[in-house]
């Protein structure tokens, strides 16, 4: 008798569309899973909310989503939330969770100049969690925390087809580039929205650095936790849900195609 396991449902959660940069890496490794992508756009941006507000918002909301969609695994594809809520979520719900936290360890391990910047939301760079990662894993590197005011909103705007000025992006990334005894050579993308702007950031950087995007590593973690696939790589469909319940504009719907391909079912 052969045993064919059911395709797992994976719930990917973010404050907005940034988590799509994690979602697309997971889909590459697990094309045969079912996906529910949830953008909490009614509460975006998380970077502007207090820690208490984020915990009070995310923990019950994720609980409701688990009850509704019955996922085998939940990915919190948001640094601003993950640096706060993972313990609360694991205490409250029995489904496995994968979070997204600043990739300080690999960045510091690979920096040659020993000068690393962490580019995140104002919330993420203030967190005790982030400071602890630096205390534990800086490995002799000088780590500069850069809290971007609007970069996540700029990334959303760009994806929604609005014009985003180079000056606005350049101003947000400028504090990452330190040029003293040694130059910054590594920048951690500590917000899942930022890889959406990677081409602009590459073009606007004052010099070339390694931009560390943890999404492929997160995808590997997800795949390891799910275990062997049931052998089918056929896309089973993905849904995208917005907590604002607003339907995507035609421009956004088009921008979502590279992430979802033909698998978008809603
Ligand atoms: N995508 C989220 C992150 O990774 C943050 C964006 C926001 O401020 O909501 O931190």
């Amino acid at each position: 008798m052969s045993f064919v396991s059911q395709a797992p449902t994976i719930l990917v959660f973010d404050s907005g569309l940034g988590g799509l940069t994690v979602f697309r890496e997971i889909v590459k490794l697990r094309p045969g899973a079912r996906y529910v992508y949830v953008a909490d756009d009614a509460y975006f941006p998380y970077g502007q909310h207090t820690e208490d507000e984020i915990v009070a918002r995310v923990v019950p909301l994720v609980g409701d989503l688990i009850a509704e969609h019955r996922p085998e695994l939940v990915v919190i594809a948001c640094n601003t939330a993950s640096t706060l809520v993972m313990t609360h979520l694991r205490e409250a719900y029995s489904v496995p969770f994968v979070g997204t936290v600043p990739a300080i360890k690999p960045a510091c391990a690979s920096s040659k100049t020993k000068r690393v910047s962490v580019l995140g939301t104002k919330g993420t760079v203030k967190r005790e969690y982030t400071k602890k990662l630096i205390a534990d894993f800086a490995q002799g590197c000088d780590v500069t925390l850069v809290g971007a005011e609007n970069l996540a909103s700029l990334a959303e705007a760009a994806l929604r087809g609005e014009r985003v000025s180079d000056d606005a992006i350049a101003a947000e990334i400028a504090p990452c580039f330190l040029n003293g005894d040694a130059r910054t050579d590594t920048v951690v993308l500590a917000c899942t929205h930022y890889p959406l702007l990677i081409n602009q950031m590459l073009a606007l950087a004052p010099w070339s650095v390694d931009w560390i995007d943890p999404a492929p590593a997160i995808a590997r973690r997800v795949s390891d936790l799910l275990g062997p696939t049931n052998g089918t790589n056929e896309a089973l469909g993905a849904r995208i849900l917005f907590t604002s319940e607003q339907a995507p504009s035609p421009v956004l719907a088009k921008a979502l195609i590279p992430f979802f391909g033909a698998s978008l079912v809603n």
Side-chain angles (χ1 to χ4, degrees):
M1 191 177 78
S2 69
F3 174 74
V4 180
S5 61
Q6 288 257 310
T9 297
I10 304 174
L11 181 86
V12 181
F13 179 88
D14 182 31
S15 58
L17 299 168
L20 291 173
T21 64
V22 178
F23 166 78
R24 70 183 164 195
E25 296 299 324
I26 302 172
V27 174
K28 277 186 205 161
L29 294 188
R30 308 296 293 221
R34 277 193 186 78
Y35 290 93
V36 181
Y37 183 93
V38 180
D40 187 14
D41 61 332
Y43 214 61
F44 179 86
Y46 280 7
Q48 312 287 352
H49 290 287
T50 66
E51 300 197 347
D52 288 348
E53 284 169 350
I54 292 172
V55 173
R57 170 77 180 177
V58 174
V59 177
L61 176 56
V62 169
D64 290 348
L65 292 167
I66 291 169
E68 191 180 340
H69 301 285
R70 307 247 157 241
E72 269 66 35
L73 188 144
V74 177
V75 182
I76 305 297
C78 174
N79 293 259
T80 312
S82 296
T83 47
L84 276 179
V85 301
M86 298 313 292
T87 314
H88 298 278
L89 291 173
R90 290 186 176 120
E91 274 168 16
Y93 313 113
S94 57
V95 57
F97 287 95
V98 175
T100 316
V101 298
I104 288 164
K105 188 178 180 183
C108 290
S110 66
S111 171
K112 303 263 181 312
T113 62
K114 297 280 168 205
R115 184 153 280 192
V116 171
S117 290
V118 178
L119 182 62
T121 65
K122 291 231 172 269
T124 296
V125 301
K126 270 196 292 202
R127 302 267 187 270
E128 277 312 310
Y129 191 101
T130 304
K131 294 192 179 139
K132 174 111 174 51
L133 286 177
I134 295 171
D136 290 348
F137 300 118
Q139 302 159 78
C141 288
D142 208 340
V143 179
T144 303
L145 290 168
V146 178
E149 186 79 47
N150 292 314
L151 208 46
S153 298
L154 294 173
E156 290 263 328
L159 201 60
R160 290 171 191 275
E162 293 161 31
R163 215 188 77 78
V164 172
S165 83
D166 283 353
D167 287 355
I169 297 172
E172 294 275 27
I173 67 172
C176 293
F177 292 83
L178 298 176
N179 194 3
D181 309 338
R183 263 186 172 189
T184 306
D185 69 351
T186 307
V187 177
V188 178
L189 296 170
C191 170
T192 54
H193 279 74
Y194 301 166
L196 295 172
L197 294 173
I198 192 66
N199 291 336
Q200 292 92 320
M201 294 197 289
L202 284 169
L204 294 165
W207 59 83
S208 154
V209 293
D210 283 338
W211 301 87
I212 308 289
D213 176 2
I218 295 160
R220 285 194 296 276
R221 173 80 186 133
V222 168
S223 191
D224 287 351
L225 282 176
L226 290 173
T229 62
N230 65 1
T232 167
N233 284 340
E234 195 190 323
L236 290 173
R239 301 177 64 194
I240 182 164
L241 306 173
F242 295 89
T243 54
S244 69
E245 294 182 358
Q246 275 183 10
S249 68
V251 176
L252 179 57
K254 203 166 159 206
L256 294 176
I257 293 172
F259 295 96
F260 290 92
S263 66
L264 199 58
V265 293
N266 47 328

